[in-house]
Amino acid sequence: MRVLNIGSLNIDYVYSVDHIILPGETEATGSRNTFLGGKGMNQSCALAKAGVEVYHGGMIGEDGKMFLDACKEYGVNDQFIKIVDGPSGHTVIQIDKNAQNSILLFGGANQKMTTEYIDEVLSHFGAEDILLLQNEVNLLPYIVDKAYEKGMQIALNPSPFNEKLDAVDMKKISIFLLNEVEGGQITGLTDPQEIIAKMKQSFPEARI
């Protein structure tokens, strides 16, 4: 069994600040650190560390070649990561003295996948494989539909939860990976046990 993770690759620019900046305010930062992130990249690295054979699919810009180095370091197969024109996806993160944060997300290359690219990547996988998805790349409904046609198990982390997910046929999802916030957004409920019960009722064929 292999896992294909089609997901985001973001460069995280993290600034330490006294307080989260207010409208119209200028504030000096204490430090700036750069990390590799994105829900997709984070999950691929975690899977590889756990000994899973994981392939990452996604887009980076010319500024994102450090992702390829990280894939080699962690044991993630990077043969399907494509370099495209323009910047990679990135975030600008403020973290204040109380550990509260504020995050700006720029999609960049994560939003440049094409149907031709998706078809090519999926052609290398079949019903014995798992497709892992998050909601930080474009063409999510198309990816789900095409993977379902191939009989792949589809695992979805529905985060960030927004209107883009309305176009996804959730009945085609085999595994939902979610917390109580996302579960509440899908079901309209707040109690964790009620959320789980509603998810099982709405998606009886899926694992939660």
Side-chain angles (χ1 to χ4, degrees), residues 172-189:
K172 296 178 179 179
I173 304 303
S174 308
I175 305 167
F176 287 93
L177 306 169
L178 72 172
N179 61 27
E180 63 269 26
V181 174
E182 295 138 10
Q185 290 168 321
I186 292 174
T187 64
L189 302 171

Side-chain angles (χ1 to χ4, degrees), residues 17 31 44 53 55 58 66 72 77 81 85 97 101 105 114 122 125 136 139 165 167 176-177 179 183 194 196 198 206:
V17 296
S31 65
S44 284
E53 184 181 1
Y55 295 73
M66 72 270 289
K72 291 178 174 59
N77 189 302
I81 296 177
D85 292 335
K97 60 186 178 183
N101 64 40
L105 171 63
T114 64
L122 289 178
F125 297 86
E136 290 187 341
L139 296 180
L165 291 172
F176 287 93
L177 306 169
N179 61 27
E194 292 180 358
I196 292 173
K198 181 65 174 179

Side-chain angles (χ1 to χ4, degrees), residues 68-89:
L68 304 180
D69 295 333
C71 285
K72 291 178 174 59
E73 177 183 352
Y74 290 110
V76 176
N77 189 302
D78 64 1
Q79 71 182 88
F80 301 116
I81 296 177
K82 184 176 179 180
I83 300 174
V84 296
D85 292 335
S88 299

Side-chain angles (χ1 to χ4, degrees), residues 50-182:
V52 176
E53 184 181 1
V54 58
Y55 295 73
H56 195 98
M59 304 287 194
I60 55 175
E62 290 288 344
D63 59 347
K65 292 181 179 179
M66 72 270 289
F67 285 104
L68 304 180
D69 295 333
C71 285
K72 291 178 174 59
E73 177 183 352
Y74 290 110
V76 176
N77 189 302
D78 64 1
Q79 71 182 88
F80 301 116
I81 296 177
K82 184 176 179 180
I83 300 174
V84 296
D85 292 335
S88 299
H90 67 259
T91 61
V92 176
I93 304 173
Q94 299 178 60
I95 300 181
D96 72 12
K97 60 186 178 183
N98 298 313
Q100 292 295 321
N101 64 40
S102 174
I103 302 174
L104 289 172
L105 171 63
F106 174 72
N110 294 313
Q111 301 299 314
K112 291 190 173 183
M113 288 192 296
T114 64
T115 56
E116 292 79 11
Y117 168 78
I118 297 302
D119 291 342
E120 164 59 21
V121 173
L122 289 178
S123 71
H124 298 273
F125 297 86
E128 70 280 4
D129 300 314
I130 292 176
L131 172 66
L132 175 60
L133 299 170
Q134 317 80 30
N135 191 27
E136 290 187 341
V137 297
N138 66 321
L139 296 180
L140 204 62
Y142 184 85
I143 299 170
V144 169
D145 291 345
K146 291 300 179 179
Y148 186 81
E149 290 175 6
K150 297 176 69 69
M152 297 179 73
Q153 291 190 70
I154 304 171
L156 173 66
N157 173 15
S159 179
F161 188 89
N162 56 37
E163 69 282 352
K164 287 171 56 179
L165 291 172
D166 293 341
V168 175
D169 187 351
M170 295 292 188
K171 299 293 185 182
K172 296 178 179 179
I173 304 303
S174 308
I175 305 167
F176 287 93
L177 306 169
L178 72 172
N179 61 27
E180 63 269 26
V181 174
E182 295 138 10

